[in-house]
Amino acid sequence: MTDAKATESAHLVRFARKADIDFIAGEGCWLTGSDGKRYLDFVSGVAVNNCGHRHPHLVKALQAAAEKPWHVSNLFRSGAQEHLAARLADLTFADRVFFCNSGLESAEAAIKMARRWQFERGQTRRIKIVALHGSFHGRSFAALAAAGNEEYLRGFGPKCEGFVQVAPGDIEALRAQLDDSTAAVLMEPVQGEGGVRALADDYLKQVRVACDAAGALLIFDEVQTGIGRTGKLFAHEWSGVTPDIMMVAKGLGGGMPIGAVLARAEVAERMPFGWHGNTFGGNPLATTVASAVLDVILAPGFLDNVVRMSALLIERMRELVAQYPSVFQDVRGRGLLLGLKCGPAAGSLAERARARGLLVLTAGDNVLRLLPPLIIGEAEVDIAMHALREVAAEAVEVAA
Ligand code: PLP
């Protein structure tokens, strides 16, 4: 970093450890740093750049939107917003869409919607949200309370009331929390941040039945798993289980900040005017690009590629585990949301990978998380696996 840049970066409030790379260009699966070095991007801006960088269809959509009003607020109709909502409704279980700007905003809106739905039908005691240990739903007070991760809650005063967590996969523990104070159950079909753990399809089916029996709504957080990440447009489609409410963000905008809450009509129609609101949600720039993202993800063969590349990566990752069991212990995840449980600290392995030109991230439970753009091909899988093999060999050498 030059001195001038170091001085400028000192003005940012610290909240995340940043790698000392400033990307100045991106094309497809590749990023270029200001030092000219190229990196294979298996982070995708944390499951955002599902179409890769600088996708021509997205660039064109954004350029066209830039010529029109950038923002009109939610006091007026927006054709781009209505078009995207209609498409999302057409493609999913949902009938109505509420737009916001991020994953945590979608969590906030989904939780409010579930509680308000119970309230509007006279179930005023039903405020409890049952979530899972190891989950992540964002950094607002409610989202943090839902996940219940003490480390993230520390230092912020009293925790929002009405949230409990049970062990993922334990249907009895979940059932025990479903009573006449429960508003909704909230979960990610594949826990991302918490350690890349895919919930079994059978478990999701049991959860749906349990929610129906108890009069609780089911909310799926598809912020990380949605928009093709697991090989279906939304991960819950693998199980055949549909939620009542779904949170979407990240990949939906392909890099434009956007979030959405999708809901069945029966739920959405009980929301009175003023139950929630925002200034930017459904902004024309973001919704135009999001529609273009859907064009790309839904093009024939696109999701097939995700399934094929996932199978290939999983096979190669298993070989890596067999070859370097002290470094990599287990392969986790679904589609192109994959994880390698590590022996040595996952963070140090991610740094070693970066030094070899491969960007990967970490997740809870000491997992190395792989989130490539969904457009990867065999060549990118080969390059990534080569880098990870070198990382593993080096880690073995260091430990010896
Ligand atoms: N939900 C899940 C499953 C996530 O992975 C994230 C972010 O990583 C969020 C919610 C919060 O999204 P955002 O960072 O856009 O607030």
Side-chain angles (χ1 to χ4, degrees):
M1 216 187 252
T2 64
D3 284 345
K5 278 204 160 178
T7 312
E8 283 175 9
S9 74
H11 292 282
L12 293 170
V13 172
R14 282 189 302 171
F15 71 95
R17 275 182 230 289
K18 287 182 195 283
D20 190 12
I21 315 173
D22 184 4
F23 295 115
I24 53 162
E27 190 82 44
C29 303
W30 293 86
L31 284 165
T32 307
S34 52
D35 59 357
K37 197 173 166 195
R38 290 180 83 225
Y39 295 84
L40 179 58
D41 182 8
F42 267 42
V43 171
S44 303
V46 195
V48 167
N49 306 107
N50 290 4
C51 307
H53 298 281
R54 203 161 169 262
H55 192 291
H57 186 62
L58 272 54
V59 171
K60 217 169 133 201
L62 181 57
Q63 283 171 341
E67 298 295 336
K68 297 180 184 169
W70 287 16
H71 179 77
V72 293
S73 88
N74 279 308
L75 301 173
F76 304 96
R77 288 182 63 178
S78 154
Q81 189 184 104
E82 290 172 13
H83 179 64
L84 180 61
R87 286 189 79 185
L88 288 171
D90 213 39
L91 290 162
T92 65
F93 68 94
D95 308 289
R96 303 281 186 274
V97 183
F98 170 81
F99 287 112
C100 51
N101 309 286
S102 65
L104 85 80
E105 284 184 44
S106 73
E108 206 71 21
I111 291 164
K112 284 179 76 176
M113 187 182 268
R115 285 185 173 175
R116 189 63 183 252
W117 182 76
Q118 299 286 7
F119 177 89
E120 292 293 332
R121 65 188 197 115
Q123 301 284 320
T124 52
R125 285 194 61 232
R126 285 184 179 263
I127 61 154
K128 182 167 54 170
I129 307 290
V130 185
L132 300 184
H133 288 302
S135 59
F136 182 74
H137 303 292
R139 301 278 193 147
S140 67
F141 280 103
L144 287 176
N149 182 335
E150 289 302 329
E151 200 187 316
Y152 291 172
L153 281 158
R154 187 152 49 102
F156 299 119
K159 187 163 74 174
C160 285
E161 282 181 26
F163 295 88
V164 297
Q165 296 81 33
V166 296
D170 184 344
I171 191 65
E172 287 315 322
L174 184 96
R175 279 199 196 107
Q177 287 294 342
L178 298 178
D179 52 33
D180 62 4
S181 70
T182 309
V185 169
L186 165 62
M187 57 183 62
E188 304 151 81
V190 183
Q191 293 191 323
E193 163 102 9
V196 192
R197 285 194 202 86
L199 301 180
D201 293 342
D202 277 347
Y203 172 68
L204 295 182
K205 284 180 189 145
Q206 289 172 322
V207 170
R208 176 74 271 183
V209 171
C211 285
D212 289 343
L217 293 174
L218 178 57
I219 307 172
F220 281 155
D221 177 345
E222 292 245 21
V223 167
Q224 190 159 156
T225 53
I227 315 298
R229 179 54 56 189
T230 69
K232 298 268 190 200
L233 184 58
F234 293 104
H236 69 264
E237 294 170 31
W238 289 108
S239 67
V241 173
T242 52
D244 302 295
I245 299 174
M246 176 166 70
M247 297 155 49
V248 185
K250 289 189 184 280
L252 179 60
M256 291 296 286
I258 187 170
V261 175
L262 278 63
R264 291 194 298 113
E266 189 196 331
V267 177
E269 267 159 18
R270 283 198 192 253
M271 297 301 118
F273 284 121
W275 74 277
H276 199 44
N278 59 32
T279 299
F280 287 114
N283 168 290
L285 295 173
T287 46
T288 301
V289 176
S291 271
V293 167
L294 289 182
D295 295 339
V296 173
I297 303 283
L298 297 170
F302 188 94
L303 292 175
D304 296 337
N305 182 62
V306 176
V307 172
R308 234 183 7 258
M309 289 307 120
S310 169
L312 185 61
L313 259 175
I314 290 172
E315 187 191 314
R316 300 281 181 81
M317 287 161 79
R318 287 197 177 128
E319 286 167 13
L320 210 57
V321 169
Q323 201 178 350
Y324 297 101
S326 64
V327 183
F328 296 126
Q329 299 168 348
D330 187 17
V331 179
R332 299 174 173 188
R334 191 160 212 175
L336 292 176
L337 166 46
L338 294 171
L340 280 162
K341 166 87 176 154
C342 302
S348 72
L349 297 177
E351 273 174 35
R352 287 179 197 281
R354 195 163 65 235
R356 285 178 166 69
L358 173 69
L359 304 175
V360 289
L361 66 166
T362 59
D365 201 24
N366 204 31
V367 165
L368 205 63
R369 189 168 22 153
L370 309 186
L371 288 166
L374 307 183
I375 56 170
I376 52 162
E378 286 182 32
E380 285 79 22
V381 171
D382 283 345
I383 294 166
M385 285 301 123
H386 180 71
L388 287 179
R389 204 169 301 114
E390 285 188 351
V391 165
E394 193 181 77
V396 169
E397 224 175 272
V398 168

